Amino acid sequence: MIAKIVNGDQELMQAFSVRRKVFIDEQKVPAEEEIDQFEQSCTHFLLLEDDNPIGAGRFRIIDGKGKVERICVLNQFRGNGAGKLIMDKIEEYAKDGSVEYLKLNAQTHAIPFYERLGYEVISEEFLDAGIPHKSMQKQISII
């Protein structure tokens, strides 16, 4: 498996394809909520297994904090380090920027995964696309 920054429209479409399968098909998130107005201002990431797209995510900076979004891995590849690979790649990218913290909104079932990566819950539970979430944060550098 290899995690990489999306380069070009073909890889972006591969990332969208994974997101579509996970969020729209599997989790029933409305398509208009999944693909949003921030796509063009994000840095996108793709996880490949034998050149096949199996995971995706995106990153953007909001109010001086790095925001990790849309992290997903196809069902059959979960539980074998795939999610950690894509998160490691995003964090590596973010450390080259000028952000001290990374923030994400985790589906509540995924909180233990993000806690193992050093994220801490910083909010009460809320619904996003009808799915329970909590905000989490991790310090990645001291500015």
Side-chain angles (χ1 to χ4, degrees):
M1 276 185 285
I2 183 170
K4 62 178 295 193
I5 296 172
V6 164
N7 183 17
D9 290 341
Q10 180 178 352
E11 288 183 353
L12 183 59
M13 290 303 111
Q14 288 178 315
F16 285 166
S17 173
V18 174
R19 287 172 46 188
R20 194 171 298 109
K21 288 174 187 170
V22 173
F23 295 122
I24 298 170
D25 298 343
E26 180 184 331
Q27 297 183 352
K28 308 301 182 208
V29 172
E32 61 275 8
E33 290 185 42
E34 170 47 28
I35 305 298
D36 64 20
Q37 70 271 25
F38 302 112
E39 301 299 348
Q40 296 304 314
S41 61
C42 293
T43 300
H44 295 269
F45 295 81
L46 185 61
L47 185 64
L48 299 167
E49 171 79 339
D50 296 327
D51 292 326
N52 295 311
I54 65 165
R58 72 181 194 187
F59 174 84
R60 62 189 173 119
I61 296 176
I62 303 171
D63 298 328
K65 289 186 181 178
K67 180 93 185 283
V68 179
E69 301 175 315
R70 307 300 202 269
I71 302 302
C72 60
V73 174
L74 295 179
N75 189 39
Q76 63 268 38
F77 295 96
R78 294 178 194 152
N80 66 357
K84 183 178 182 326
L85 266 178
I86 201 157
M87 288 297 295
D88 287 349
K89 188 68 173 179
I90 292 171
E91 288 184 17
E92 174 188 310
Y93 174 82
K95 285 178 182 177
D96 289 341
S98 59
V99 296
E100 184 178 357
Y101 289 94
L102 291 180
K103 182 179 176 184
L104 56 84
N105 294 330
Q107 293 181 10
T108 54
H109 71 86
I111 288 173
F113 165 74
Y114 291 113
E115 286 176 331
R116 286 191 300 275
L117 299 179
Y119 289 80
E120 297 178 355
V121 173
I122 59 168
S123 78
E124 297 298 317
E125 188 173 296
F126 60 93
L127 292 178
D128 185 2
I131 300 169
H133 285 72
K134 289 186 179 181
S135 293
M136 301 185 79
Q137 183 172 280
K138 177 179 179 178
Q139 185 171 3
I140 60 168
S141 68
I142 299 171
I143 297 177

